Amino acid sequence: MSASTPAPSRAPGAATHTARGRLLQLAGVVALLISGVCHGALAASYGAGLSGLNLGKLFIVQAVVTLGVAVWLLLRDVPLAWLAGAAIMAGTLLAILLAHTGSGLPQLGPMPALKEEGYGLAQIVTMIAEAAYLVLAAVRLLMPTRSR
C-alpha cells in the first residue's frame, strides 16, 4: 500500500451493525438487571433470613449471579456472556412457569419445592424481562460476527 492509497474503511453499514449490537447489548444488560433486582427484592418474602437452604437464599444467589453476568455483558459483548445470561434467564423463567402448574415445581434434592397460586407484579415484570432477554440473546448471537 503506497502513501497515496487511502486506508481501507469499514464497509458501509458496519457502523449500523455496531450500533445495533450495542443497543442489543444494553437492552440485554437492562433485562438482566431487572431480573436480578426483582429476585433480590423478593428474597426476604421467600425466607432468605431463615436458616437452611430455602427459596429466599436461592433468590439471593440468582440475583448476585445475574448481576455479575450483567456487568460481564456490559463490559464484554461476547457470546459466552450472552449464553450465560440465557442459561440463567431460561432456568428462572422455566422455574416460575413450573411453579404455577398444578403440582408446582417439585423438590429436587436439597432444592426446596415451589408452588405459586397467582402472579404478582414482580413476577410478571421478571418473566417479561427474562423472555425479552432470551429473544435479545437469540438475535445477538445470530448477528454476523463482524458486528460484535
Side-chain angles (χ1 to χ4, degrees):
M1 186 180 289
S2 69
S4 62
T5 306
S9 63
R10 294 181 124 189
T16 302
H17 280 285
T18 302
R20 284 185 195 143
R22 183 69 174 157
L23 182 60
L24 288 168
Q25 178 187 12
L26 293 176
V29 167
V30 168
L32 288 165
L33 290 174
I34 290 169
S35 179
V37 168
C38 284
H39 279 85
L42 290 171
S45 65
Y46 282 89
L50 302 175
S51 63
L53 182 62
N54 57 48
L55 290 171
K57 287 186 176 73
L58 293 176
F59 276 35
I60 290 171
V61 170
Q62 192 275 3
V64 170
V65 172
T66 301
L67 295 175
V69 171
V71 170
W72 180 20
L73 184 59
L74 181 64
L75 298 176
R76 301 270 326 229
D77 183 12
V78 294
L80 192 55
W82 281 101
L83 291 171
I88 294 166
M89 300 298 248
T92 306
L93 183 59
L94 180 62
I96 193 64
L97 291 173
L98 289 174
H100 283 84
T101 62
S103 59
L105 185 62
Q107 180 176 348
L108 301 170
M111 307 277 278
L114 175 60
K115 174 129 176 71
E116 297 281 347
E117 294 301 324
Y119 290 98
L121 180 61
Q123 290 175 330
I124 292 169
V125 168
T126 302
M127 290 171 59
I128 291 169
E130 291 158 356
Y133 180 88
L134 293 173
V135 171
L136 293 165
V139 170
R140 185 64 180 126
L141 290 169
L142 292 172
M143 286 179 75
T145 56
R146 69 184 169 114
S147 60
R148 288 191 196 281

